[in-house]
Amino acid sequence: MNRISAEEFYRESQGGTIIDVRSPKEFAAGHVPGATNVPLFSDEERAIIGTLYVNSGRNVAMEKGLEFVGPKMAGFVRTTNQILAEGSSEVTDSSEPGSDFTAYVHCWRGGMRSQSFAWLLDMAGIKVRVLEGGYKAFRRMAQRQIGRRHRMVVLSGLTGAGKTNFLELLREAGEQIVDLEGLANHRGSSFGAIGLGQQPTTEQFENRLFAAVQALDPKRRFWVEDEGSRLGRVVVPSRFVKQIRRSSAVFLDVAKEKRLDILLEEYGDLDHEELIDATRGIQKRLGGQNMIDAIKAIEAGDLRTAAEISLTYYDRSYLKGMSELPRASTLNLSTDGMCDADVVAKLIDAADEIENAAEPASVVSD
């Protein structure tokens, strides 16, 4: 059983098997991307042990913990071997997955839960590596990496400009991207959650963001969409937002009619009641009469008119926000008469121009 640093743990475990032995509630709040939860204690058992520790002391709490864990030990080994087997294409029906593959184990602080689980796996002949400092150490590393200086180019543009689509097209063209909206499972507006299901916690969003950035080549630039400090319920790390706001951008100048076409394609098949609820959510910013008119248009099936009313607010808000940013530079790219492939080529040219003209960026301060 070897204890390794957070950096070693994350690097070595990529494509491997990460086992998080914390309780299900802890795991749901946030976990290392790709980890599997094999809880040493259930949420209820953990609460009982915690209460005993406070009221009766460490030894009593330990005894209760052993009482809970004892009957589960064989199951822990079977589950781990199954996870190892499922995670490797090299395991055959006759092979012993534990003898050939490594389980990367952690708890919250690298304490008794991960140590005892690792001891059990070691006794069963399973190779195991333990995260020194636990998930807490991983979080410190992730937040530190997210906050460092990045080589980014910001893709800017008014609502409906198709920024998310162009990010994907840039990726297909060989550019690196970080899709914040994809990581947050939210489109970034008051209507952004409709039809997408549950968002991750802010903590898990940060973990996903770390994994996305960590997978990139730091010697090359990456593109990121111009976003604010929140994506639905998710809060974007402040140091990352500061870099977005200060980095050079390319502004996609898309005609309003085209933007309406894009919005109808994206939102046109969504539930009208949810669209109405989202419209009510921006009443103060949209204005009472505009909200009423937009809702009537939705009820009548005239989503283009409803979208046009909403764009009045979103365009004004976006342009005001842009004017207040301490952005290094912004290049305007008109897309009139251009196909998507031409736009992507022009975006890459614009990014090259920005980088060729840029002076060394300053480190973002707290």
Side-chain angles (χ1 to χ4, degrees):
M1 177 179 68
N2 296 317
R3 300 174 68 86
I4 55 178
S5 69
E7 289 78 10
E8 291 175 296
F9 185 93
Y10 187 77
R11 182 176 62 253
E12 291 184 15
S13 65
Q14 294 308 288
T17 299
I18 304 172
I19 296 179
D20 184 335
V21 301
R22 297 176 302 149
S23 67
K25 187 175 181 180
E26 291 174 284
F27 184 84
H31 53 269
V32 178
T36 299
N37 189 210
V38 183
L40 198 66
F41 302 119
S42 68
D43 293 327
E44 295 78 10
E45 289 168 345
R46 180 169 176 262
I48 291 170
I49 292 170
T51 301
L52 284 174
Y53 188 93
V54 172
N55 295 335
S56 303
R58 181 175 182 273
N59 290 339
V60 174
M62 280 189 61
E63 289 178 8
K64 178 57 72 173
L66 291 171
E67 181 182 322
F68 285 145
V69 168
K72 305 178 189 177
M73 293 174 69
F76 287 148
V77 174
R78 283 194 297 270
T79 298
T80 301
N81 271 323
Q82 181 180 359
I83 295 169
L84 287 168
E86 291 174 349
S88 174
S89 60
E90 300 178 25
V91 178
T92 65
D93 291 339
S94 61
S95 67
E96 296 264 348
S99 64
D100 297 313
F101 305 101
T102 302
Y104 293 87
V105 175
H106 75 84
C107 59
W108 166 235
R109 290 184 298 184
M112 293 189 63
R113 285 186 289 179
S114 59
Q115 291 181 48
S116 59
F117 196 93
W119 170 84
L120 175 63
L121 297 188
D122 186 55
M123 291 292 290
I126 299 173
K127 295 177 183 178
V128 59
R129 307 269 270 175
V130 177
L131 173 54
E132 182 77 40
Y135 176 69
K136 187 176 182 180
F138 165 80
R139 286 285 294 159
R140 284 197 300 267
M141 175 191 68
Q143 290 171 328
R144 184 171 61 249
Q145 290 297 95
I146 290 170
R148 68 179 174 83
R149 184 175 60 192
H150 300 289
R151 186 178 170 185
M152 67 169 67
V153 177
V154 179
L155 185 59
S156 181
L158 297 174
T159 300
K163 297 185 290 294
T164 302
N165 176 60
F166 280 114
L167 272 185
E168 177 58 24
L169 293 175
L170 283 164
R171 186 192 66 78
E172 292 176 4
E175 293 285 303
Q176 298 189 127
I177 71 164
V178 172
D179 181 6
L180 294 176
E181 294 186 3
L183 297 175
N185 199 33
H186 196 279
R187 299 185 190 90
S189 72
S190 299
F191 301 85
I194 300 175
L196 293 183
Q198 186 174 359
Q199 286 192 265
T201 63
T202 291
E203 183 175 309
Q204 188 58 22
F205 170 79
E206 290 179 354
N207 294 341
R208 291 179 178 183
L209 176 56
F210 160 76
V213 171
Q214 197 72 4
L216 303 177
D217 179 353
K219 296 179 181 179
R220 298 174 55 213
R221 67 176 175 242
F222 67 83
W223 292 80
V224 63
E225 190 171 338
D226 196 5
E227 301 285 2
S229 59
R230 299 185 72 92
L231 287 163
R233 292 190 299 271
V234 165
V235 179
V236 183
S238 61
R239 286 174 63 84
F240 200 81
V241 173
K242 285 180 180 179
Q243 291 197 54
I244 291 175
R245 291 173 174 172
R246 296 180 183 183
S247 296
S248 294
V250 182
F251 181 85
L252 280 173
D253 188 358
V254 182
K256 188 172 185 179
E257 290 302 313
K258 176 64 174 177
R259 291 191 288 126
L260 288 169
D261 291 341
I262 292 171
L263 290 173
L264 287 179
E265 183 177 347
E266 186 171 3
Y267 292 95
D269 293 332
L270 299 181
D271 182 80
H272 285 195
E273 287 302 318
E274 291 188 81
L275 291 173
I276 289 171
D277 287 342
T279 302
R280 290 194 178 104
I282 57 172
Q283 176 180 357
K284 289 184 179 179
R285 292 167 285 180
L286 197 60
Q289 188 58 52
N290 284 335
M291 182 203 70
I292 293 171
D293 292 343
I295 289 175
K296 285 181 178 179
I298 295 171
E299 291 173 337
D302 185 3
L303 298 186
R304 192 176 192 89
T305 294
E308 188 167 11
I309 293 170
S310 297
L311 281 186
T312 302
Y313 153 67
Y314 280 112
D315 288 358
R316 183 174 63 248
S317 176
Y318 193 92
L319 292 172
K320 181 177 184 297
M322 278 188 59
S323 69
E324 297 171 349
L325 293 177
R327 181 146 284 158
S329 65
T330 301
L331 291 182
N332 191 79
L333 175 59
S334 174
T335 65
D336 286 351
M338 296 172 62
C339 66
D340 286 352
D342 289 341
V343 173
V344 169
K346 290 292 185 181
L347 285 170
I348 294 173
D349 288 344
D352 291 340
E353 180 180 340
I354 287 171
E355 292 199 325
N356 290 335
E359 296 179 357
S362 60
V363 177
V364 175
S365 60
D366 289 317

